[in-house]
Amino acid sequence: MDTLYVFSEDELNNYFNQLYPNGVDDYGVWKAFVNSLFDLFTNQLVEFSKTEIFKKFLKRMILNFFCIDHDEDIEEAIERMNLVLSD
């Protein structure tokens, strides 16, 4: 089974700095980076939802799932999840 991993702020900053070693100090670039991570995490969550382990959870409860940032509205997270599920 794949491992679920949560990045710390330092890890995200280090990863960002590896991608942009020239010290890009641009909010737009950072936001694009964060959005690409959300896409990755959301796709991984969808893939996990197809596993037998996840299906066992569904037998016991009704479960809604999505990937969300602490600054984000729930509606935005659900919309992103629905876009991935519709592909």
mmCIF file of all heavy atoms in Angstrom, residues 17-39:
data_model
loop_
_atom_site.group_PDB
_atom_site.id
_atom_site.type_symbol
_atom_site.label_atom_id
_atom_site.label_comp_id
_atom_site.label_asym_id
_atom_site.label_seq_id
_atom_site.Cartn_x
_atom_site.Cartn_y
_atom_site.Cartn_z
ATOM 1 N N ASN A 17 12.272 25.587 -3.061
ATOM 2 C CA ASN A 17 13.598 26.157 -3.315
ATOM 3 C C ASN A 17 14.443 25.261 -4.222
ATOM 4 O O ASN A 17 15.299 25.766 -4.956
ATOM 5 C CB ASN A 17 14.320 26.437 -2.004
ATOM 6 C CG ASN A 17 13.681 27.590 -1.250
ATOM 7 O OD1 ASN A 17 13.087 28.483 -1.847
ATOM 8 N ND2 ASN A 17 13.782 27.562 0.060
ATOM 9 N N GLN A 18 14.205 23.962 -4.201
ATOM 10 C CA GLN A 18 14.899 23.072 -5.126
ATOM 11 C C GLN A 18 14.394 23.300 -6.555
ATOM 12 O O GLN A 18 15.171 23.259 -7.507
ATOM 13 C CB GLN A 18 14.684 21.609 -4.730
ATOM 14 C CG GLN A 18 15.440 21.200 -3.492
ATOM 15 C CD GLN A 18 15.105 19.779 -3.077
ATOM 16 O OE1 GLN A 18 14.466 19.031 -3.800
ATOM 17 N NE2 GLN A 18 15.539 19.413 -1.878
ATOM 18 N N LEU A 19 13.081 23.529 -6.680
ATOM 19 C CA LEU A 19 12.521 23.784 -8.009
ATOM 20 C C LEU A 19 12.921 25.154 -8.541
ATOM 21 O O LEU A 19 13.099 25.334 -9.746
ATOM 22 C CB LEU A 19 10.991 23.695 -7.960
ATOM 23 C CG LEU A 19 10.393 22.322 -7.737
ATOM 24 C CD1 LEU A 19 8.881 22.419 -7.590
ATOM 25 C CD2 LEU A 19 10.747 21.377 -8.868
ATOM 26 N N TYR A 20 13.019 26.121 -7.639
ATOM 27 C CA TYR A 20 13.333 27.505 -8.000
ATOM 28 C C TYR A 20 14.558 27.972 -7.205
ATOM 29 O O TYR A 20 14.433 28.751 -6.262
ATOM 30 C CB TYR A 20 12.133 28.421 -7.733
ATOM 31 C CG TYR A 20 10.892 27.979 -8.460
ATOM 32 C CD1 TYR A 20 9.900 27.261 -7.818
ATOM 33 C CD2 TYR A 20 10.725 28.270 -9.812
ATOM 34 C CE1 TYR A 20 8.760 26.844 -8.498
ATOM 35 C CE2 TYR A 20 9.590 27.857 -10.503
ATOM 36 C CZ TYR A 20 8.616 27.144 -9.830
ATOM 37 O OH TYR A 20 7.496 26.730 -10.507
ATOM 38 N N PRO A 21 15.745 27.489 -7.573
ATOM 39 C CA PRO A 21 16.949 27.768 -6.773
ATOM 40 C C PRO A 21 17.401 29.228 -6.802
ATOM 41 O O PRO A 21 18.224 29.626 -5.981
ATOM 42 C CB PRO A 21 18.006 26.862 -7.399
ATOM 43 C CG PRO A 21 17.533 26.610 -8.784
ATOM 44 C CD PRO A 21 16.024 26.654 -8.722
ATOM 45 N N ASN A 22 16.860 30.016 -7.694
ATOM 46 C CA ASN A 22 17.285 31.410 -7.776
ATOM 47 C C ASN A 22 16.508 32.317 -6.837
ATOM 48 O O ASN A 22 16.530 33.533 -6.986
ATOM 49 C CB ASN A 22 17.163 31.920 -9.220
ATOM 50 C CG ASN A 22 18.100 31.189 -10.145
ATOM 51 O OD1 ASN A 22 19.174 30.765 -9.740
ATOM 52 N ND2 ASN A 22 17.687 31.022 -11.386
ATOM 53 N N GLY A 23 15.811 31.726 -5.893
ATOM 54 C CA GLY A 23 15.121 32.516 -4.887
ATOM 55 C C GLY A 23 13.951 33.317 -5.420
ATOM 56 O O GLY A 23 13.829 34.494 -5.135
ATOM 57 N N VAL A 24 13.104 32.681 -6.198
ATOM 58 C CA VAL A 24 11.924 33.360 -6.726
ATOM 59 C C VAL A 24 11.077 33.840 -5.555
ATOM 60 O O VAL A 24 10.707 33.078 -4.683
ATOM 61 C CB VAL A 24 11.098 32.412 -7.624
ATOM 62 C CG1 VAL A 24 9.805 33.065 -8.053
ATOM 63 C CG2 VAL A 24 11.911 31.975 -8.823
ATOM 64 N N ASP A 25 10.821 35.121 -5.530
ATOM 65 C CA ASP A 25 9.997 35.695 -4.469
ATOM 66 C C ASP A 25 8.757 36.292 -5.122
ATOM 67 O O ASP A 25 8.572 37.498 -5.172
ATOM 68 C CB ASP A 25 10.783 36.758 -3.696
ATOM 69 C CG ASP A 25 10.055 37.211 -2.448
ATOM 70 O OD1 ASP A 25 9.167 36.472 -1.967
ATOM 71 O OD2 ASP A 25 10.363 38.313 -1.960
ATOM 72 N N ASP A 26 7.930 35.404 -5.646
ATOM 73 C CA ASP A 26 6.761 35.817 -6.402
ATOM 74 C C ASP A 26 5.573 34.994 -5.925
ATOM 75 O O ASP A 26 5.576 33.769 -6.028
ATOM 76 C CB ASP A 26 7.028 35.589 -7.889
ATOM 77 C CG ASP A 26 5.867 35.991 -8.779
ATOM 78 O OD1 ASP A 26 4.779 36.302 -8.277
ATOM 79 O OD2 ASP A 26 6.067 35.984 -10.005
ATOM 80 N N TYR A 27 4.554 35.666 -5.400
ATOM 81 C CA TYR A 27 3.396 34.962 -4.874
ATOM 82 C C TYR A 27 2.714 34.126 -5.948
ATOM 83 O O TYR A 27 2.228 33.031 -5.671
ATOM 84 C CB TYR A 27 2.394 35.940 -4.253
ATOM 85 C CG TYR A 27 1.191 35.258 -3.674
ATOM 86 C CD1 TYR A 27 1.285 34.572 -2.464
ATOM 87 C CD2 TYR A 27 -0.034 35.276 -4.342
ATOM 88 C CE1 TYR A 27 0.184 33.920 -1.938
ATOM 89 C CE2 TYR A 27 -1.132 34.629 -3.813
ATOM 90 C CZ TYR A 27 -1.023 33.958 -2.617
ATOM 91 O OH TYR A 27 -2.111 33.303 -2.094
ATOM 92 N N GLY A 28 2.685 34.611 -7.185
ATOM 93 C CA GLY A 28 2.060 33.867 -8.275
ATOM 94 C C GLY A 28 2.745 32.532 -8.520
ATOM 95 O O GLY A 28 2.084 31.521 -8.757
ATOM 96 N N VAL A 29 4.081 32.517 -8.459
ATOM 97 C CA VAL A 29 4.832 31.272 -8.647
ATOM 98 C C VAL A 29 4.542 30.327 -7.487
ATOM 99 O O VAL A 29 4.324 29.131 -7.682
ATOM 100 C CB VAL A 29 6.345 31.561 -8.768
ATOM 101 C CG1 VAL A 29 7.151 30.281 -8.786
ATOM 102 C CG2 VAL A 29 6.633 32.377 -10.023
ATOM 103 N N TRP A 30 4.536 30.858 -6.272
ATOM 104 C CA TRP A 30 4.251 30.027 -5.088
ATOM 105 C C TRP A 30 2.838 29.450 -5.194
ATOM 106 O O TRP A 30 2.630 28.270 -4.936
ATOM 107 C CB TRP A 30 4.405 30.843 -3.803
ATOM 108 C CG TRP A 30 4.035 30.072 -2.581
ATOM 109 C CD1 TRP A 30 2.920 30.209 -1.831
ATOM 110 C CD2 TRP A 30 4.786 29.012 -1.969
ATOM 111 N NE1 TRP A 30 2.928 29.323 -0.795
ATOM 112 C CE2 TRP A 30 4.054 28.565 -0.858
ATOM 113 C CE3 TRP A 30 5.999 28.402 -2.261
ATOM 114 C CZ2 TRP A 30 4.499 27.545 -0.027
ATOM 115 C CZ3 TRP A 30 6.440 27.381 -1.440
ATOM 116 C CH2 TRP A 30 5.703 26.955 -0.340
ATOM 117 N N LYS A 31 1.866 30.268 -5.600
ATOM 118 C CA LYS A 31 0.484 29.803 -5.714
ATOM 119 C C LYS A 31 0.376 28.712 -6.780
ATOM 120 O O LYS A 31 -0.330 27.716 -6.584
ATOM 121 C CB LYS A 31 -0.431 30.983 -6.045
ATOM 122 C CG LYS A 31 -1.878 30.664 -5.959
ATOM 123 C CD LYS A 31 -2.297 30.359 -4.550
ATOM 124 C CE LYS A 31 -3.798 30.126 -4.483
ATOM 125 N NZ LYS A 31 -4.198 29.464 -3.265
ATOM 126 N N ALA A 32 1.081 28.865 -7.883
ATOM 127 C CA ALA A 32 1.080 27.830 -8.927
ATOM 128 C C ALA A 32 1.675 26.527 -8.388
ATOM 129 O O ALA A 32 1.173 25.434 -8.675
ATOM 130 C CB ALA A 32 1.851 28.307 -10.150
ATOM 131 N N PHE A 33 2.735 26.641 -7.601
ATOM 132 C CA PHE A 33 3.362 25.479 -6.984
ATOM 133 C C PHE A 33 2.369 24.782 -6.045
ATOM 134 O O PHE A 33 2.188 23.561 -6.103
ATOM 135 C CB PHE A 33 4.613 25.924 -6.216
ATOM 136 C CG PHE A 33 5.215 24.878 -5.333
ATOM 137 C CD1 PHE A 33 5.802 23.746 -5.855
ATOM 138 C CD2 PHE A 33 5.213 25.038 -3.950
ATOM 139 C CE1 PHE A 33 6.373 22.787 -5.034
ATOM 140 C CE2 PHE A 33 5.779 24.095 -3.114
ATOM 141 C CZ PHE A 33 6.352 22.966 -3.662
ATOM 142 N N VAL A 34 1.711 25.548 -5.202
ATOM 143 C CA VAL A 34 0.737 24.985 -4.261
ATOM 144 C C VAL A 34 -0.411 24.329 -5.022
ATOM 145 O O VAL A 34 -0.850 23.227 -4.674
ATOM 146 C CB VAL A 34 0.224 26.070 -3.288
ATOM 147 C CG1 VAL A 34 -0.965 25.584 -2.483
ATOM 148 C CG2 VAL A 34 1.346 26.526 -2.371
ATOM 149 N N ASN A 35 -0.884 24.967 -6.073
ATOM 150 C CA ASN A 35 -1.962 24.385 -6.873
ATOM 151 C C ASN A 35 -1.540 23.069 -7.514
ATOM 152 O O ASN A 35 -2.344 22.136 -7.605
ATOM 153 C CB ASN A 35 -2.441 25.370 -7.931
ATOM 154 C CG ASN A 35 -3.249 26.495 -7.347
ATOM 155 O OD1 ASN A 35 -3.777 26.399 -6.242
ATOM 156 N ND2 ASN A 35 -3.342 27.595 -8.070
ATOM 157 N N SER A 36 -0.288 22.982 -7.950
ATOM 158 C CA SER A 36 0.182 21.721 -8.537
ATOM 159 C C SER A 36 0.230 20.623 -7.477
ATOM 160 O O SER A 36 -0.075 19.467 -7.768
ATOM 161 C CB SER A 36 1.537 21.898 -9.211
ATOM 162 O OG SER A 36 2.562 22.132 -8.269
ATOM 163 N N LEU A 37 0.579 20.997 -6.239
ATOM 164 C CA LEU A 37 0.546 20.017 -5.151
ATOM 165 C C LEU A 37 -0.880 19.566 -4.860
ATOM 166 O O LEU A 37 -1.121 18.377 -4.636
ATOM 167 C CB LEU A 37 1.179 20.590 -3.882
ATOM 168 C CG LEU A 37 2.690 20.750 -3.889
ATOM 169 C CD1 LEU A 37 3.154 21.404 -2.584
ATOM 170 C CD2 LEU A 37 3.392 19.414 -4.081
ATOM 171 N N PHE A 38 -1.810 20.507 -4.859
ATOM 172 C CA PHE A 38 -3.211 20.137 -4.640
ATOM 173 C C PHE A 38 -3.694 19.173 -5.708
ATOM 174 O O PHE A 38 -4.404 18.214 -5.414
ATOM 175 C CB PHE A 38 -4.114 21.363 -4.603
ATOM 176 C CG PHE A 38 -4.219 21.985 -3.255
ATOM 177 C CD1 PHE A 38 -3.926 23.315 -3.077
ATOM 178 C CD2 PHE A 38 -4.605 21.240 -2.153
ATOM 179 C CE1 PHE A 38 -4.019 23.903 -1.834
ATOM 180 C CE2 PHE A 38 -4.699 21.812 -0.897
ATOM 181 C CZ PHE A 38 -4.408 23.149 -0.743
ATOM 182 N N ASP A 39 -3.322 19.425 -6.951
ATOM 183 C CA ASP A 39 -3.699 18.509 -8.030
ATOM 184 C C ASP A 39 -3.124 17.123 -7.766
ATOM 185 O O ASP A 39 -3.825 16.111 -7.907
ATOM 186 C CB ASP A 39 -3.216 19.028 -9.381
ATOM 187 C CG ASP A 39 -3.970 20.264 -9.836
ATOM 188 O OD1 ASP A 39 -5.050 20.557 -9.277
ATOM 189 O OD2 ASP A 39 -3.473 20.954 -10.750
#
